[in-house]
Amino acid sequence: MDSNSLFNLQDYLNRRKELVDGHLFGYVPPCEGPASMLFEAMRYTLVAGGKRLRPICVLAGADFVMGLEPPEIERGDWAGSRDPGLADALLRAACAAEMIHTYSLIHDDLPCMDDDDLRRGLATCHKVYGEAMALLAGDALLTHAFFTIGQIGDPFKERALDVVRDLADGSGAEGMVAGQAVDLISERMGGGTESHLEFIHRRKTAALFRASLTVGGILAGGNAHDLETLRSVGETVGLIFQVTDDILDVEGTEEELGKTTGRDAELGKLTYPGLLGLETARRRSSELLSKTEDILQTCGPRGIPLSVLAGKITQRRN
Ligand code: IPE
Ligand code: IPE
Ligand code: MG
Ligand code: MG
Ligand code: MG
């Protein structure tokens, strides 16, 4: 089955990004008064754009559980179409995932971490607002993510507790923060093995992808088997995403990516191309894609959107 011919991924991504952006800026509105600069700094990197892949994964996890097939999705249906309560819960969780991701980018770019000047095609948050305000904007986005989920109402309140657990797990000391810590420790100590590298990638990037797909499935009422499938697919898609990010740091351009390239080698980061070379990095990414496709092939047509998305992530140029 040629999944690509059954599903126009670009249309789908554009429509989902529009749906997310239509709510995201409302959850983080501008603010007058003494703290206005904090809100400006929070919104600066958020409004600058980005692919919105983590919130799209939240929505995709729910579509998967609801059994939406490509023709329905292409007609504009999504898991929240027929239930305004579920739509609100999903959009809150999706935008929360994006707030967490954007916070991680603001902090990742700070001089004490990767020291980058360019993000989403603009000067990085700390270049515009200063380091202290960028640090606080990141803190506030992370906290605001959980505030946004806390406003999910009945009958989804109970599921929202599981959403908090999974997103906190994916972004905290067992997930993204641990990956970022070991990324910096490896950079400073030099060396490192493939198992170190896998530890970093699984946590700094794959853990939030895994949590994003899973929380969409949780809100849509997924059973244990569906949630396990979403966890596995989220993990492999997240790993593909970071291997590709490392490849693009070598091969991509600043114009395409909206961020500085060549930084990983300059900083001595532990990456797939750095440790094993570009060819092996590409092979790793296609092995992970095959693993993802194998899992999804057992799920019938509802697995097609995720399978096509995973394929696109291996080939992305930004
Ligand atoms: C960049 O993520 C950080 C990584 C985990 C590699 P994205 O490439 O998804 O960044 P945006 O959201 O599109 O800007
Ligand atoms: C960052 O990885 C992962 C995060 C948790 C933000 P990178 O440091 O490789 O991300 P980029 O390349 O700066 O976007
Ligand atoms: Mg980094
Ligand atoms: Mg970085
Ligand atoms: Mg990178």
Side-chain angles (χ1 to χ4, degrees):
M1 172 171 56
D2 177 8
S3 316
N4 285 294
S5 61
L6 293 171
F7 192 69
N8 185 334
L9 184 75
Q10 204 48 55
D11 272 7
Y12 163 81
L13 291 176
N14 293 341
R15 271 192 272 122
R16 289 290 187 267
K17 183 167 155 44
E18 226 171 86
L19 183 60
V20 169
D21 284 349
H23 289 75
L24 183 60
F25 310 132
Y27 295 137
V28 191
C31 167
E32 298 296 321
S36 61
M37 192 197 268
L38 171 68
F39 279 79
E40 244 185 69
M42 288 163 76
R43 285 171 58 85
Y44 173 75
T45 308
L46 214 51
V47 174
K51 297 177 285 297
R52 310 297 190 219
L53 283 177
R54 290 127 191 106
I56 289 171
C57 281
V58 173
L59 303 180
D63 289 349
F64 176 83
V65 161
M66 306 282 277
L68 285 177
E69 298 186 8
E72 298 164 298
I73 292 182
E74 300 219 295
R75 277 199 304 272
D77 272 13
W78 65 291
S81 297
R82 288 176 218 108
D83 181 342
L86 178 59
D88 177 75
L90 284 171
L91 286 163
R92 284 182 180 282
C95 292
E98 182 59 29
M99 289 177 219
I100 294 170
H101 168 60
T102 301
Y103 122 73
S104 81
L105 299 179
I106 294 173
H107 282 194
D108 182 75
D109 291 333
L110 284 169
C112 59
M113 294 190 72
D114 293 354
D115 192 11
D116 268 310
D117 295 348
L118 189 69
R119 174 65 67 182
R120 293 180 166 170
L122 297 177
T124 41
C125 190
H126 66 272
K127 284 277 161 195
V128 178
Y129 294 96
E131 282 178 42
M133 203 51 64
L135 184 76
L136 293 168
D139 292 342
L141 280 170
L142 171 60
T143 317
H144 201 68
F146 291 102
F147 174 73
T148 306
I149 297 167
Q151 289 174 308
I152 291 175
D154 279 330
F156 297 98
K157 255 187 172 11
E158 216 177 297
R159 290 180 190 167
L161 273 180
D162 290 346
V163 170
V164 166
R165 181 202 56 212
D166 274 39
L167 277 179
D169 182 55
S171 57
E174 297 290 337
M176 184 172 65
V177 176
Q180 291 286 66
V182 180
D183 173 290
L184 292 176
I185 292 165
S186 311
E187 175 194 320
R188 277 146 211 188
M189 295 190 38
T193 61
E194 198 173 341
S195 94
H196 258 102
L197 176 56
E198 185 151 336
F199 180 101
I200 294 171
H201 280 203
R202 255 183 218 291
R203 284 159 187 80
K204 80 169 181 178
T205 303
L208 187 56
F209 272 94
R210 184 189 67 214
S212 296
L213 268 183
T214 310
V215 301
I218 289 172
L219 286 171
N223 60 32
H225 182 261
D226 281 352
L227 296 184
E228 204 34 56
T229 301
L230 289 172
R231 276 194 189 99
S232 308
V233 169
E235 180 101 2
T236 51
V237 164
L239 287 171
I240 294 171
F241 190 87
Q242 188 60 47
V243 176
T244 311
D245 182 81
D246 291 353
I247 293 172
L248 289 173
D249 191 74
V250 179
E251 288 191 324
T253 66
E254 242 166 67
E255 292 67 38
E256 285 170 322
L257 294 166
K259 59 185 184 183
T260 321
T261 50
R263 285 297 283 154
D264 292 343
E266 273 169 28
L267 293 168
K269 292 279 189 198
L270 188 55
T271 65
Y272 272 96
L275 186 69
L276 303 167
L278 277 168
E279 270 323 300
T280 311
R282 281 196 204 95
R283 201 170 331 116
R284 177 84 183 117
S285 159
S286 52
E287 282 163 13
L288 287 161
L289 178 61
S290 303
K291 195 171 162 192
T292 312
E293 289 172 341
D294 287 349
I295 302 170
L296 288 167
Q297 228 142 43
T298 64
C299 303
R302 68 179 179 144
I304 291 173
L306 286 173
S307 189
V308 176
L309 180 63
K312 155 90 180 173
I313 288 177
T314 59
Q315 286 161 11
R316 70 191 177 97
R317 296 296 307 168
N318 73 2

